[in-house]
Amino acid sequence: MGYASRNDPVSRPRHVNPASASPRTSATGRQSRYSMSHPIRNLPVVQNWSCHVCGNCCRTLVGLITDEEKRRIEALDLANDPEVAPGPWFKPMVRGVYRWRLNHRREGGCVFLTAENRCRLQERFGPEVKPFVCRMFPFMLIPAGNHWRVGMRFSCPSAVASRGRPVADSQKDLVQLSHLLESHLGRSADDAPAPSVRRGRELDWPDACRLVDVLVEIVQDRRDRLERRLRKCLAVARICREGMEVRGGQLSKFLQAVRSAVDPDVARDPASLPPPDRFLGRVLFRVLLAIFARHYRDASRASGLRRALNRVRDGLSFARGRGRVPRLNDYLPEVRFEDIEERHGIPPEADEILERYYAIKLSSFQFFGPPNFEKPIWDGLESLVLTLPMILWLSRAMADQPPMEAVQRAIQLVDDHFGGDAMLGLPHIRYLERTLVERGDLEKVVAWYSR
Ligand code: SF4
């Protein structure tokens, strides 16, 4: 994992100076070697989170750990603990800072996951003993020049449902974790390379913040349904890709002018847009959807050749788009592709949760650079917008559930992959995504599944 995280509610970004919270001491009690302290900018929306001990992350995530964390856990008195699985507890990784991963039990779940869905390390020795990535989840910390931005993984059911304490209450933990992250990565927030808007065209961090502020404003403008707000973001991206030479304060004015200019050209009624191309647009969309709809119950078992073959088989089935939908996750009922096409969009109340989701993804910078396969800003934005029709399609598919629950599950499923599924970084998958955008089918797919 590149950058880590956790949390939410404030109307504007908030800053906390880590230097004022504590001396530069890492979570393991060691003094940090980074002299600069970087503020943490919290989420620009109301969001709550507390762990509700569902054990989902301990079953589906790959828990990466460093050499030091491995040694620390091995030194604990765990060998005869009946709640801990027999070894080996760790599996080597090929490269990177995190050279090991937590092993999983044969029946599924982390080796340290107890029968009550609790982490045995935390239960016996406290949260500081847990590996960094486990302490961080579902938060992310993303470097943004002179500060860290807080992001969040919505694959956690508590995050999607905004259950628990206000995220602002987690600031102290996040500050501590940012020090630990710096020590793992060997660099601080201001060492991160400047983002690019498109290949070979860099933007400095303050301008990236200006650009993202305008996108977040569009997403939070409740005069439109959420789907039109995202189609507006696409329209802004289309114009700015052609040329965006201004910088600084002029950039904000330019982007606001573009925002106003595109408004009359973005159709108000999604049903008025032509449908996506039946033979290419919809096929490309469904092939990508087959990646996002999958949910592995156990990260360790679902691997290797079998996993690859399953993906190919399901991808073909989704490309065909006829007959029974493969059960790629536990929430999908028996349903046919044709039935999903006939169903209606999600209720207006769902816009609130979708707005929260997209505002957090944008404001946290989770959609470009290292958190999203090094994509430039506009490519990253388009890949983020593509998640909306995925969520809409899955919500329609889960019509046997209450509509809001179906939307929450769909977000959970889709965000499990966004920026985190290595398959989405593969060149041929990125090519499919770009083809969908360049053919003009992305906007149509968003409108088609919103109608
Ligand atoms: S998925 Fe979220 S709520 Fe469930 S155990 Fe993990 S952090 Fe806690």
Side-chain angles (χ1 to χ4, degrees):
M1 102 180 244
Y3 302 102
S5 74
R6 194 188 269 224
N7 275 9
D8 185 294
V10 274
S11 55
R12 296 305 308 160
R14 293 175 16 139
H15 303 256
V16 169
N17 185 347
S20 66
S22 68
R24 301 285 294 166
T25 305
S26 78
T28 51
R30 285 193 320 210
Q31 203 72 20
S32 168
R33 57 200 157 100
Y34 301 99
S35 55
M36 264 194 82
S37 57
H38 293 287
I40 289 181
R41 187 168 296 189
N42 215 321
L43 305 173
V45 295
V46 174
Q47 169 78 38
N48 300 323
W49 179 84
S50 298
C51 178
H52 288 83
V53 202
C54 69
N56 188 50
C57 55
C58 310
R59 292 190 173 81
T60 57
L61 296 182
V62 176
L64 300 177
I65 62 171
T66 62
D67 280 332
E68 189 209 330
E69 288 175 325
K70 175 174 176 282
R71 280 195 296 274
R72 185 155 43 87
I73 294 170
E74 283 171 334
L76 300 171
D77 175 26
L78 283 165
N80 298 315
D81 190 320
E83 289 279 8
V84 175
W89 295 335
F90 313 101
K91 275 188 165 180
M93 299 296 288
V94 179
R95 60 176 186 272
V97 176
Y98 300 95
R99 294 188 50 216
W100 302 90
R101 59 177 280 186
L102 294 170
N103 207 353
H104 277 217
R105 296 165 186 266
R106 184 179 287 274
E107 66 277 17
C110 171
V111 287
F112 299 116
L113 182 65
T114 70
E116 284 77 41
N117 276 340
R118 295 186 182 277
C119 171
R120 190 60 170 162
L121 299 178
Q122 173 158 346
E123 207 169 53
R124 283 190 57 193
F125 305 102
E128 290 78 14
V129 169
K130 291 203 298 185
F132 170 76
V133 292
C134 304
R135 291 180 65 190
M136 199 70 192
F137 187 84
F139 293 106
M140 295 182 74
L141 284 173
I142 299 155
N146 62 357
H147 63 276
W148 293 98
R149 294 229 165 178
V150 177
M152 200 159 203
R153 283 248 153 244
F154 277 63
S155 48
C156 166
S158 295
V160 182
S162 195
R163 292 176 66 202
R165 293 188 307 157
V167 163
D169 291 1
S170 299
Q171 280 281 9
K172 202 171 157 198
D173 292 343
L174 286 167
V175 168
Q176 202 179 42
L177 287 166
S178 73
H179 300 166
L180 197 51
L181 179 60
E182 287 175 348
S183 110
H184 283 183
L185 296 177
R187 59 176 189 264
S188 55
D190 54 358
D191 288 335
S196 55
V197 270
R198 55 185 162 85
R199 294 263 169 252
R201 197 86 181 95
E202 283 189 356
L203 206 61
D204 64 23
W205 284 109
D207 280 344
C209 296
R210 291 184 182 100
L211 189 158
V212 168
D213 282 350
V214 174
L215 295 174
V216 173
E217 270 184 42
I218 296 174
V219 161
Q220 293 183 321
D221 182 349
R222 296 188 175 172
R223 286 173 295 179
D224 292 316
R225 285 293 308 266
L226 193 277
E227 66 85 22
R228 183 168 186 258
R229 299 178 220 167
L230 291 190
R231 285 192 286 119
K232 270 193 195 170
C233 289
L234 289 180
V236 169
R238 210 164 34 240
I239 288 180
C240 293
R241 263 183 187 284
E242 302 303 317
M244 198 181 69
E245 303 308 321
V246 287
R247 294 291 184 264
Q250 291 300 316
L251 177 63
S252 300
K253 288 184 188 155
F254 172 77
L255 290 165
Q256 292 294 0
V258 172
R259 178 186 172 189
S260 304
V262 300
D263 188 69
D265 295 333
V266 178
R268 296 208 166 269
D269 180 4
S272 68
L273 263 80
D277 184 90
R278 179 175 289 274
F279 297 107
L280 200 51
R282 283 190 235 181
V283 171
L284 286 177
F285 169 71
R286 286 196 305 267
V287 169
L288 295 167
L289 175 64
I291 299 172
F292 283 87
R294 184 175 296 283
H295 184 60
Y296 288 109
R297 268 163 291 181
D298 188 81
S300 180
R301 296 173 81 194
S303 59
L305 182 63
R306 196 168 142 211
R307 176 176 176 157
L309 289 174
N310 286 348
R311 280 190 180 245
V312 171
R313 184 198 61 204
D314 297 332
L316 289 173
S317 178
F318 269 72
R320 199 165 52 245
R322 288 197 304 275
R324 197 179 60 80
V325 176
R327 298 278 307 278
L328 297 189
N329 63 69
D330 289 343
Y331 308 125
L332 269 180
E334 287 286 336
V335 62
R336 294 169 60 80
F337 283 101
E338 295 86 341
D339 298 336
I340 295 171
E341 296 298 314
E342 298 302 317
R343 290 175 183 167
H344 294 293
I346 55 174
E349 310 87 84
D351 276 9
E352 193 180 326
I353 179 173
L354 287 168
E355 177 187 312
R356 177 163 52 88
Y357 175 68
Y358 287 106
I360 289 175
K361 293 289 145 179
L362 288 168
S363 65
S364 65
F365 291 7
Q366 257 179 279
F367 67 103
F368 65 86
N372 193 14
F373 306 107
E374 305 290 350
K375 287 180 185 169
I377 290 178
W378 296 128
D379 287 13
L381 174 69
E382 286 152 354
S383 69
L384 179 63
V385 173
L386 179 60
T387 60
L388 179 65
M390 308 274 176
I391 291 166
L392 297 173
W393 189 96
L394 285 163
S395 304
R396 286 173 173 225
M398 295 185 275
D400 60 322
Q401 299 171 32
M404 290 303 286
E405 274 180 37
V407 172
Q408 289 190 2
R409 293 236 158 88
I411 294 173
Q412 199 185 316
L413 288 165
V414 166
D415 199 56
D416 200 20
H417 298 272
F418 182 74
D421 185 336
M423 198 157 175
L424 295 172
L426 296 176
H428 63 284
I429 297 298
R430 292 177 72 153
Y431 174 75
L432 296 184
E433 209 174 272
R434 283 252 38 87
T435 306
L436 191 75
V437 173
E438 282 166 11
R439 289 175 46 82
D441 276 317
L442 175 54
E443 188 186 7
K444 292 176 190 167
V445 170
V446 169
W448 180 252
Y449 289 110
S450 304
R451 74 204 193 288

